[in-house]
Every structure is written in C-alpha cells, then in structure tokens.
C-alpha cells in the first residue's frame, strides 16, 4: 500500500478537515459540560445569587460543581482524538470515485503484464489528479439526535442575555458570600442614580461611575441614593433641591434637582460633585406665513414651533379685533358679546416635535366674524407644562367668498343679523327691497320663494321678540339660501348627473338589457351636458374668481366635450361586451372627474406651447407602445393555447377585446389587430414588427423637436428617450424573429424609459417656467397638464397613469393575490412550453 504521507492531497484541506472532525468530537462529547457551564455563568452575570440567601447559594454552587465534574468525565470517556486516517476517509467520501482509497490500493492481478501495468498507472494518475483538487469538508455539528430538546440553545440564550444585561462585577461578589459574615464583610457602601425626566429621552446616570467633579443634569431630574451598612456611616448633603438637605443619614434618600448646587456623600466611601442644571427653556411658537383661504373657504395658517425637548400641544385663540372693524351700516351698532374661538393646533403625528412647521386649517365660513378683523394668538405647551404665547397676529378671518352679487348680499345681511339682534328690522327691510322685483335678480324661482319664507319668519320673530335660537335659525336659513343662489343650478345639475350614474350602476348590477343601458346612457349624457353648461356659465359670470381659484391651487384641468363623449362611449362599450366590473370602475372614475373638474374656456389645442405638444406626443407614443405590448402578449397566449381565447372571452380579452382597449387606452397601438384570425399568427407578428418600426421612427421625429436643449433636465430626457429607442429596436428584432417573450421584455424597457423621459422633460419645462415667469397662461399650467383628469399626481417615473385613488380596499389586494396564484399555478405545470414557463418565471421575479 502507498504511504499516506505521500498522497498528493492539499495539506490545508486535510488540516481543515481534521480540525472539523475534532470540532465534531468535542461538541458530541462535551456539549452537556458546555451547556451547564453557560447556565452557571449566565446566573452569575445576572446576579441571581444576590436574590437568595447565602446558604442557598452554596448549596446550588456545590450541585453545579458536581454536575460540571460528571459532565466532564462523561465527555472525556467519549472523546476520541481524530486521526489522519479519519480525515482522509472524510475527504475521500466527498470525492467522486474514492480517489484516495484508490491511491492506497495495490495492483492485485496483472502486475507482470506490461499493458495492465500501464493501465493501472494511468488509473492511479487520474485518481491522483482528483485527490489533488480535494477541498476541506465542513464538519457536521448537528446534535439534534443527542439533544432532542435543544437544551444547548437554551443555555446559549441565557449566556447571551447575561452578557448583554448582566455585569462581570457581580460575579466577584460570590467570593464575599461567607455564611454569617456576608454583611459585615462588605462594610459601609452606597449606590445612587440620577434619572432625568422621561420626556428628555436622556439615560439614567449611575453615580458610582461618575468620575468627574461636575454633574450636568436636566432640570427636574430625580436623584435616588441608598446607604448600606451601619446607619449613620454615610450621610447626604445637597443644595440642588427646592428644600436643601443637610447630613441626612436615612438608608433611602430621594430628591428632585431644581437648581445648580452641590451634592456630597460623606462617609468611608464618600464622594462630592458640583451640580449644574440644564434649564428647560419654554417653547417658542409664531405665525410662519400670512393666513390664506383655501378653495373651499377653509383658513390656512402656517405656523412654526420649537422647543428643546419637544412641543406637547398647542392652541389658537381667535378674538374679534373690534378697533379695526369698519363700523358702518350693520356693524355700526354694538356687537353682541361672543366668546373667543379656541382651536387645537395640529401636531406632527410622527417624528421630531422639537422644531417643526405645520398648517392650521379650519373652516370659519359660517362664523359671524368671517372676513372681519381678528386677533390670533398661538400658544404652545411643552412636556414640562411650560406655556408660551406668540405675538398677536392681526388679519381678516379667511372664509368662503361668494361671487354671485345676490348671494353676497344675503351673506352680508346674515353677518349683520349675527352681529346684533338689533339689526333684525334693518335686515328684514333690505331683504324685502332685494326681493321687490325678483324677475331682475333671481334666476331660480325656488330661491325667491325661500327668501320670501325667511323674510316672513324674520319679521314675525322681530315683532314678537327675536331670541338667540330664532337668530341661529334665521342665520342658518340665510346661509343655505346663499349656497343655493351661488351653486343652486350647478348643484341641481350635479345631483341629476349623480342620480343618472346611480341608476346606471344599479342597472349594471341587476343585468339590464341593451335597450335599458342605451336609455340610461342617454340620460347620463344629457345630465352631463347640463352640468358642463352650468360650469361654463359660472366661469363666464365670475372670471376673476375662477382664475383666482386656479392660481391659488396651482393647477387647472382642460377637457373637451369630445374627451367626455369618448369616456362615456367607452363605458357603454364595456357594458355591451359584458365587462361590468371594468365598466363600473370607469363609471366611478368618470363621476369623480366630473365632480372635481374645472372648465377653462378659450384654451384650445392651437394655444398649446411647444413643451405641451411634446409631452402630449410622448404620451401618445407611450399609449401606442402599451397597445403593441398588449397585442404581443395576446399573440403569445394564442400561440400556446389556440382555443383559450374563445372559451375565456369574459375573463380574458381576446382579439376583439384588444381592439376595444386600443380605442380607449392604447391609441393606435391597440388597433389594427382586432380582426386577425388565429391562423394568421405569422402575418400578425410581421405586422407588429412593422408597427414597432413605425413607432420607433415617430419617436426619432419627436426627439428632434424636444425643448430644453442644453439644460441638465433636457439632456437627461433625451438620454432616456434614446434608451427607449434602442429598446424599441431590440423589440422589433425580436418580433421579426418570432421571439414574443423577448419582445415583450424589450417593450417594457421602452415604456419605462419613455416614462422616465417624460418625467425629466416635465422637470425641464418646470425649470424653464421658473426662470421665465412672464409666460403665464400658455406655459404656466405645465404641472396641471401632467395630472390626470381627476387632478391626481402621475405615477412613478413619469407614468401617465396614477397611483392615487384608484382601486382601494381589500378587493385590490384580493385580485392581486388571485393573479399571482394563477401565475404560480401555471408555472408549476411542466407540460407547458418552455418559452411560456420562462416568461411566467420572469413575471414572478418582477412582481
């Protein structure tokens, strides 16, 4: 046999393997000893011996030493030091063909034959080459069979807890535990802690560890001392509390630091410190920006606040500034006394409250002081109950504005009535004068009749005595009348449109016929037209107010009648196809859009800026690319399941479904393939490739006309569009090679790059607008044009879709889980084509 020392085995691999076998032997033999030692050490670190009597400690200690001795003897009897041969066997077991054993073997037969000897030598050479590449073998440290209850892990956990939360100083106290002499052996000693107020977030200080001459602590810190040993051996002297302490000898001492002073512990182990108090500064609060009125009439008052440890709460006190009121007309009489208004200030829900800025938003439109001069005083309270007030802020109380002259007159009389009940007769006279010739003032007969009713009630109350309850009743009636005059016809049109939408929703849920759906859709179209006419009338009557609202919100939405008609056509088409869930979602989006939209007249396509045209062109390119990607995916489905589309028309859009989608969402990219048959797959793929090439050419043309050249944002947009073009080229090549899965991936990259380019182009145009503020109307609404018809922000990376206010609740998560489960189920079907399985796996990796 060959000498094992001459084997061509890496020495490091053999050494590491032998060390691993040694670790296995040690763990298998001595794990009880190590576990018992870890438990004993954990108990000592945690100071458990201080909780029991000395006799108990010695009994447990003797038992522990006995257990350690038994475990050590048991392990020593089972421990076997690993030999070189055992390490070689362990290495040989991991190598193919057992080359080490082959090298140790001798040729048994044919040793005299030259050919047989040559063959044996060749075999030995191959085995030597394999053995020379042997790597170290990992040790098997699994002790589950020997320790089924995982006691070793419990002991390890206890040791880790002791190391983290215990102290090595407590281990040494065991040596001082002699029965009958433990307390006397310790001698006089003391312990002390300084606990800052919890709201400061500062840690507790252990006095024995404070080696410096000075203690710097926050005001209100609590000092606790404990004296051990003979009473009177140690005493306390301090001058930092409200009632200073001198030579106190009680075992337990406690006081609160209120001012700077000294802290002295006199005795054998005495210490002395100077105490410096960190004074808790009062909070600071102030109005950050002028108060403004939101679009709905709410007051928005920005304020800033700061404190060294954080603001706990705050309030705003609003009082009438009577000296600044224009005391004419209905305000000439003395006002009725009213309590000041107190509202809570909003605080940050999460984060740091030591320095922040928030907005107080409250609606005071119906308050008697609306639009009158007021004094606003902000106050803040910190965790130490210190209260600070801001300087008095004077302003006219922001509230809702009424642009209709009649509505504004009614609101003015309501204010005068709430100012003082002495104005009741005057208010009645003015309202009667306003309603003298209603045909010249009132557009709605309902509003006129309500005013006459309010007038009779007011005159009756005035004659027999107008009390506070009647005053409140008339004021509320006048407010409702002003709202009716200001928005009455618009609200009626909106309510009619809502009723039509609700009836249409019920029809979809109850399975209405095509004739009923067509009738309800016609009702919805008429109600929508009436609503738009009322919006346009309001915009014509109040151009300044409408423009002010647009400028204040920073955005305006522009939609044409054709856009709305296409949306309603899409809803009707979905219902006729039986896709009620999608129709319901589209109807809800249409309703939200109609309730939030603003109609802007005189701004057509011809007035769009170059940047707006570029953004719209890129958005159209993105929609067409999405349509091509959807068609490629449907072609991929039909390639694997030719008959699946016919049988799943409700749940999966086939060719006809794809055409419908293309008309509404994908632009031209979603059309053109709607009439293809399953047997024209090759021709359809070639058509897709041609359309992909045409889309790439269109993108090249758009890149030449992009604004923002020379700016970092504009260059970044061009780079992103360049990446989109290269992805389109690769998608075209994949389509011509019939590799639909690869084409879909490349199309996804192109769409992502297009979204990124649109986002960067939007940033470039916004930067250009900031640099050129005079451009105003044509380029000032760029941010609005980047929003969807509901006024919501676009999705990430410049997506033309939105991530806000779409599907909400549990249903969207349930649907997502169903889709992922279906993809996983299809991935597990090994009989599916390999290309489809690879595509499904990529979907799982991505989502």
């Amino acid at each position: 046999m060959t000498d094992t020392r001459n084997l061509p085995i890496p020495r490091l691999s053999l050494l590491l393997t032998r060390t691993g076998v040694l670790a296995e032997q040690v763990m298998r033999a001595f794990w009880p000893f190590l576990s018992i030692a870890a438990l004993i050490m954990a108990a000592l670190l945690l100071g458990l011996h201080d909780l029991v009597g000395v006799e108990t400690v010695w009994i447990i200690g003797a038992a522990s030493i006995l257990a350690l001795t038994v475990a050590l003897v048991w392990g020593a009897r089972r421990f076997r030091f690993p030999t070189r041969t055992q390490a070689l066997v362990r290495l040989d077991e991991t190598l193919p063909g057992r080359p080490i054993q082959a090298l140790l073997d001798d040729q048994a037969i044919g040793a005299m034959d030259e050919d047989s000897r040559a063959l044996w030598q060749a075999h030995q050479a191959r085995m030597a080459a394999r053995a020379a590449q042997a790597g170290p073998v990992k040790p098997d440290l699994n002790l589950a069979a020997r320790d089924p209850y995982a006691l070793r892990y419990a002991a390890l956990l206890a040791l880790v807890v002791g190391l983290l939360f215990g102290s090595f100083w407590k281990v040494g106290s065991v040596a001082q535990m002699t029965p009958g002499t433990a307390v006397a052996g310790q001698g006089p000693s003391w312990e002390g802690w300084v606990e800052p107020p919890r709201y400061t977030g500062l840690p507790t200080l252990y006095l024995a560890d404070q080696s410096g001459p000075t203690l710097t602590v926050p005001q209100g810190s609590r000092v606790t001392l404990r004296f051990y040993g003979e009473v009177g051996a140690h005493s306390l002297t301090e001058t930092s509390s409200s009632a200073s302490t001198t030579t106190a000898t009680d075992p337990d001492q406690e006081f609160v630091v209120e001012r700077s002073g000294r802290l002295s512990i006199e005795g054998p182990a005495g210490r002395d410190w100077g105490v410096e108090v960190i004074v808790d500064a009062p909070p600071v609060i102030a109005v950050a920006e002028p108060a403004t009125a939101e679009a709905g009439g709410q007051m928005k008052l920005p304020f800033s606040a700061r404190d060294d440890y954080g603001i706990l709460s705050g309030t705003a006190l609003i009082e009438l500034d009577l000296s600044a009121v224009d005391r004419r007309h209905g305000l000439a009489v003395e006002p009725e006394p009213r309590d000041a208004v107190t509202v809570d200030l909003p605080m940050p829900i999460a984060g740091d409250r030591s320095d922040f800025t928030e907005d107080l938003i409250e609606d005071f439109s119906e308050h008697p002081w609306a639009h009158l001069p007021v004094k606003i005083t902000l106050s803040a309270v910190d965790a130490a109950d210190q209260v600070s007030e801001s300087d008095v802020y004077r302003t006219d109380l922001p509230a809702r504005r009424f642009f209709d002259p009649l509505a504004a007159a009614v609101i003015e009389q309501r204010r005068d009535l709430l100012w003082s009940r002495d104005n009741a007769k005057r208010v009645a006279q003015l309202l009667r004068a306003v309603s003298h010739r209603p045909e010249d003032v009132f557009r709605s007969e309902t509003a006129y009749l309500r005013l006459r009713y309010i007038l009779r009630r007011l005159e009756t109350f005035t004659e027999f005595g107008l009390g506070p309850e009647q005053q409140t009743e008339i004021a509320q009636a006048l407010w409702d009348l002003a709202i009716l005059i200001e928005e009455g016809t618009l609200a009626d049109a909106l309510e009619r449109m809502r009723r039509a939408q609700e009836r249409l929703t019920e029809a979809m849920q109850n399975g209405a016929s095509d004739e009923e759906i067509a009738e309800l859709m016609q009702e919805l179209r008429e109600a929508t037209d009436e609503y738009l006419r009322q919006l346009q009338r309001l915009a014509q009557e109040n151009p300044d107010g409408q423009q002010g609202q647009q400028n204040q919100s920073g955005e305006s939405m522009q939609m044409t009648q054709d856009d709305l008609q296409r949306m309603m056509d899409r809803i009707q088409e979905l219902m006729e196809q039986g896709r009620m869930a999608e129709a319901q979602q589209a109807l809800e989006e249409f309703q939200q859009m109609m309730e939030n939209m603003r109609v802007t007249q005189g701004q057509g396509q011809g007035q769009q800026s170059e940047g707006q045209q570029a953004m719209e062109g890129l958005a159209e390119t993105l929609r067409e690319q999405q349509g091509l990607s959807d068609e490629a995916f449907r072609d991929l489905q039909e390639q694997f399941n030719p008959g699946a589309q016919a049988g799943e028309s409700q749940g999966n859009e086939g060719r006809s479904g794809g055409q419908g989608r293309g008309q509404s969402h994908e632009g031209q990219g979603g059309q053109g393939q709607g009439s293809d048959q399953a047997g024209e797959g090759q021709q359809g793929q070639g058509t897709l490739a041609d359309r992909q090439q045409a889309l790439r050419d269109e993108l090249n043309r758009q890149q030449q006309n992009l604004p923002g050249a020379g700016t970092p944002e504009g260059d970044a947009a061009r780079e992103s569009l360049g990446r989109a073009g290269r992805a389109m080229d690769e998608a075209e090549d994949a389509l011509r090679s019939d590799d639909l899965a690869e084409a879909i991936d490349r199309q996804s990259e192109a769409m992502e790059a297009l979204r990124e380019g649109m986002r960067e182009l939007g940033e470039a145009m916004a930067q250009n607008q900031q640099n050129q503020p005079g451009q105003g109307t044509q380029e000032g609404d760029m941010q609005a044009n980047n929003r969807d018809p509901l006024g919501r922000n676009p999705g990430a990376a410049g997506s033309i879709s939105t991530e806000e206010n779409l599907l909400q609740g549990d249903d969207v998560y349930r649907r997502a889980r169903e889709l992922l489960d279906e993809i996983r189920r299809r991935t597990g079907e090994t009989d599916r084509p390999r290309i489809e399985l690879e595509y499904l796996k990529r979907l799982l990796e991505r989502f």
Side-chain angles (χ1 to χ4, degrees):
M1 296 181 61
T2 305
D3 188 357
T4 58
R5 292 175 295 182
N6 298 325
L7 291 175
I9 300 175
R11 297 181 61 184
L12 181 59
S13 298
L14 182 60
L15 177 60
L16 293 177
T17 302
R18 192 172 182 180
T19 304
V21 176
L22 176 61
E24 292 179 10
Q25 294 293 334
V26 171
M27 291 302 297
R28 293 173 183 177
F30 294 104
W31 72 266
F33 174 81
L34 297 175
S35 299
I36 296 173
L39 286 174
I40 295 173
M41 192 63 185
L44 294 176
L45 290 172
L46 294 173
L48 300 183
H49 52 278
D50 294 333
L51 304 179
V52 296
V54 178
E55 293 79 4
T56 304
V57 172
W58 282 101
I59 294 173
I60 296 176
S64 301
I65 294 175
L66 179 61
L68 282 174
T69 304
V70 172
L72 183 60
V73 173
W74 183 85
R77 294 182 58 184
R78 283 160 177 75
F79 176 73
R80 297 292 182 272
F81 195 84
T83 63
R84 178 183 175 87
T85 302
Q86 289 178 317
L88 289 174
V89 171
R90 180 66 62 87
L91 275 175
D92 200 25
E93 289 175 350
T94 61
L95 297 174
R98 307 295 292 268
I100 298 177
Q101 184 62 43
L103 292 175
L104 295 176
D105 291 340
D106 294 330
Q107 185 175 3
I109 59 175
M112 304 302 296
D113 183 48
E114 184 177 351
D115 294 336
S116 177
R117 194 165 53 253
L119 180 60
W120 174 255
Q121 292 175 355
H123 172 66
Q124 291 285 84
R126 285 197 299 271
M127 293 299 102
R130 290 184 183 177
Q133 299 180 0
V137 181
K138 296 181 181 179
D140 182 12
L141 301 179
N142 186 9
L143 302 177
R146 293 174 172 79
D147 182 19
Y149 298 104
L151 299 178
R152 62 194 186 281
Y153 292 131
L156 179 61
L157 176 61
L159 179 60
V160 172
V161 172
L163 292 173
L164 292 177
F165 304 104
S167 172
F168 284 99
W169 294 104
K170 296 181 180 180
V171 178
S173 63
V174 179
Q176 304 175 5
M177 286 191 171
T178 303
T181 62
V183 176
Q186 290 181 357
S189 62
W190 60 270
E191 282 186 306
W193 300 267
V194 180
E195 182 181 1
R198 183 170 300 178
Y199 63 82
T200 63
L202 299 176
T204 299
L205 301 179
Y206 187 59
L207 280 177
D209 294 338
Q210 306 306 310
S211 58
T214 303
L215 292 176
T216 303
V217 297
Q219 186 177 17
S221 298
R222 183 175 299 275
V223 178
T224 303
L225 292 171
R226 291 179 183 176
F227 296 152
Y228 303 106
E230 183 180 355
V231 176
H234 287 96
S235 63
L236 168 67
T237 300
E238 58 85 13
T239 60
S240 298
S241 63
S242 56
S244 301
T245 303
T246 304
T247 63
T249 59
D250 293 338
D252 292 328
Q253 299 289 336
E254 184 175 306
F255 64 91
V256 177
V257 176
E258 297 292 346
R259 60 178 181 267
S260 298
R262 297 202 66 81
L263 169 61
S264 299
I265 301 175
E266 300 174 355
R271 297 283 300 274
D272 181 74
W273 297 274
V275 179
E276 291 185 3
V277 171
I278 303 175
V279 180
D280 189 348
V284 177
I285 188 169
V287 175
E289 296 179 11
T292 57
E294 297 285 278
Q298 300 93 341
M299 179 192 74
K300 178 180 179 182
L301 178 63
F303 68 93
S304 60
R306 68 178 184 274
D307 186 67
D308 41 10
Y309 296 114
I311 302 292
L312 189 63
S313 62
T315 57
L317 180 66
I318 303 177
E319 301 174 290
L320 179 65
D321 190 2
L322 189 59
S323 61
V325 176
D326 185 5
R327 303 294 297 276
R328 294 186 300 168
H329 309 302
L331 304 180
V333 301
E334 288 299 318
E336 296 178 358
R338 290 187 180 275
D339 296 334
V341 179
T342 302
V343 294
D344 293 332
L345 295 177
M347 295 287 121
I349 298 176
D352 187 15
R353 289 192 179 186
S354 61
D355 191 356
F356 63 91
T357 300
E358 283 286 347
D359 296 331
L360 171 63
I361 299 179
E362 290 287 339
D363 192 354
F364 296 105
S365 299
E366 298 186 44
H367 196 275
W369 297 342
H371 300 295
L372 291 180
V374 294
K375 298 181 292 184
I376 302 178
T377 305
L378 306 181
S379 62
V381 182
D382 65 4
D385 292 333
Q386 299 182 102
V387 181
S388 295
E389 293 184 351
S390 67
D391 295 335
V392 176
Y393 175 69
R394 302 175 185 271
T395 182
D396 291 345
L397 186 61
R400 174 172 179 169
R401 294 179 57 193
F402 288 83
F403 299 99
D404 187 285
L406 179 58
V410 171
I411 287 298
E412 181 179 355
Q413 298 311 306
R414 175 183 180 273
R415 181 204 63 188
D416 294 346
L417 180 63
L418 290 174
W419 180 264
S420 174
R421 291 194 295 272
D422 295 340
N423 285 327
K425 185 176 181 180
R426 177 179 181 277
V427 170
Q429 292 174 348
L430 289 174
L431 291 179
R432 183 170 293 280
V434 168
S435 60
H436 175 61
R437 302 184 64 178
E439 63 278 1
D440 298 334
V441 179
F442 290 89
R443 292 189 301 270
S444 170
E445 184 178 353
T446 302
Y448 169 71
L449 294 177
R450 289 184 62 174
L451 177 59
R452 299 294 298 179
Y453 173 76
I454 296 172
L455 183 58
R456 287 194 298 270
R457 295 277 291 175
L458 177 59
E459 291 175 341
T460 302
F461 290 150
T462 304
E463 181 179 356
F464 293 98
L466 181 65
E469 296 181 358
Q470 291 81 12
Q471 180 189 31
T472 303
E473 176 188 342
I474 297 299
Q476 185 61 45
L478 289 174
W479 174 267
D480 296 337
L481 175 61
I483 295 296
L484 175 64
I485 296 173
E486 180 78 9
E487 299 180 347
T489 53
L490 179 62
D492 294 341
L494 179 60
E495 183 61 27
R496 179 187 174 193
M497 185 176 66
R498 287 175 176 170
R499 287 198 301 267
Q501 292 168 348
E502 292 173 357
R503 293 184 60 191
L504 188 58
T505 300
E506 294 176 358
M508 288 189 291
Q509 294 175 350
N510 299 329
S513 62
D514 294 341
E515 292 76 15
E516 293 173 333
I517 289 177
E519 180 179 354
L520 292 174
M521 282 300 303
Q522 182 61 31
E523 180 180 350
L524 177 60
R525 294 176 194 273
E526 294 174 357
T528 302
D529 292 340
E530 176 64 21
Y531 179 63
L532 292 177
R533 283 195 294 270
Q534 296 299 334
L535 281 177
Q536 293 172 351
R537 181 186 63 79
L538 287 179
Q540 292 173 354
E541 293 178 355
N542 304 297
D544 297 337
Q546 186 74 7
Q547 184 65 29
Q549 291 182 1
Q550 292 175 3
N551 293 337
Q552 182 178 352
S553 62
E555 60 187 46
S556 61
M557 288 181 289
Q558 305 177 19
M559 293 199 66
T560 64
Q561 190 74 15
D562 293 338
D563 296 331
L564 299 176
Q565 292 298 332
R566 279 196 295 270
M567 293 186 68
M568 289 187 285
D569 291 342
R570 174 61 176 162
I571 295 173
Q572 184 171 0
E573 179 184 358
L574 290 172
M575 289 189 295
E576 292 174 353
Q577 294 177 0
R579 296 152 62 184
M580 295 302 177
E582 298 180 36
Q584 178 66 29
Q585 178 182 348
L587 182 60
E588 292 175 358
E589 295 178 357
F590 176 78
Q591 179 179 1
Q592 294 178 12
M593 179 199 68
M594 294 302 300
E595 291 182 1
N596 291 281
M597 70 178 298
R598 297 287 185 269
V599 176
T600 304
Q601 295 183 343
Q603 297 181 3
Q605 296 295 329
Q607 295 179 339
Q608 290 182 331
S609 66
E610 180 183 358
Q612 293 173 335
Q613 294 176 0
M615 289 292 289
E616 290 189 359
L618 291 175
E620 182 65 22
T621 301
L622 180 59
R623 285 192 291 268
E624 292 181 2
Q625 182 62 78
Q626 180 67 58
L628 288 176
S629 180
D630 290 345
E631 291 191 23
F633 179 70
R634 288 192 291 271
D635 286 346
L636 182 64
Q637 287 182 312
E638 292 180 0
Q639 180 178 344
F640 298 132
N641 302 295
Q645 296 297 333
E648 301 177 1
S649 58
Q650 292 294 335
N652 190 3
E653 301 173 19
R655 287 295 184 181
S656 60
Q659 186 180 7
R661 281 178 55 117
Q663 292 175 356
S664 176
H665 297 288
E666 283 106 18
Q668 298 175 4
Q671 305 172 8
Q673 291 279 334
S675 59
D676 292 349
Q677 302 298 326
E680 298 176 351
Q682 184 66 29
Q683 180 181 356
Q685 294 172 16
T687 304
L688 284 176
D690 294 339
R691 290 163 57 193
Q692 184 67 71
Q693 180 183 6
L695 192 60
R696 173 68 172 100
D697 296 338
E698 175 63 19
L699 180 61
N700 286 336
R701 184 191 65 79
Q702 293 172 348
Q703 286 181 264
Q704 298 174 359
N705 300 324
L706 284 181
T711 63
E713 295 83 359
D715 294 341
R718 286 170 170 77
E719 181 180 354
S720 298
L721 296 180
R723 287 191 286 106
R726 291 190 293 272
M728 288 182 179
D729 291 336
E730 295 174 358
E732 177 191 351
D733 296 338
L735 287 172
R736 297 193 186 280
S737 302
D738 297 337
D739 190 353
L740 293 175
E742 178 67 18
I744 294 173
D745 288 342
R746 301 289 77 76
Q747 289 171 337
S748 298
E749 293 180 5
M751 288 186 289
E752 190 66 25
L754 278 172
R755 295 187 184 100
E756 182 69 18
M758 293 174 62
R759 183 186 64 79
E760 292 163 344
L761 179 60
E763 293 178 357
M765 297 172 65
Q767 184 68 27
N768 183 47
Q769 178 185 353
Q770 292 178 1
N771 296 334
Q772 301 177 4
Q775 300 206 355
T777 58
Q778 292 187 0
E779 297 186 7
D781 294 334
M782 190 62 239
Q783 182 180 0
N785 290 336
N786 285 338
R787 296 176 179 264
D788 69 357
L790 297 180
R792 299 172 299 197
N793 292 323
S799 170
I800 61 173
S801 61
T802 181
E803 298 172 358
E804 302 177 13
N805 299 332
L806 295 178
L807 288 177
Q808 299 291 338
D810 297 335
D811 185 71
V812 60
Y813 299 105
R814 179 186 59 79
R815 181 59 178 158
R817 286 194 299 269
E818 290 176 354
L819 291 174
L820 284 176
D821 292 341
E822 177 64 19
I823 294 175
R824 293 190 183 100
R825 184 187 66 79
R826 295 191 180 189
T827 306
E829 296 176 356
T830 56
D831 55 341
R832 290 183 176 272
R834 181 181 60 83
I835 187 173
E836 181 183 4
L837 292 176
E838 292 179 354
Y839 178 70
L840 293 174
K841 290 179 181 178
R842 286 197 296 270
L843 284 179
L844 287 177
E845 292 175 357
R846 177 171 299 179
F847 301 106

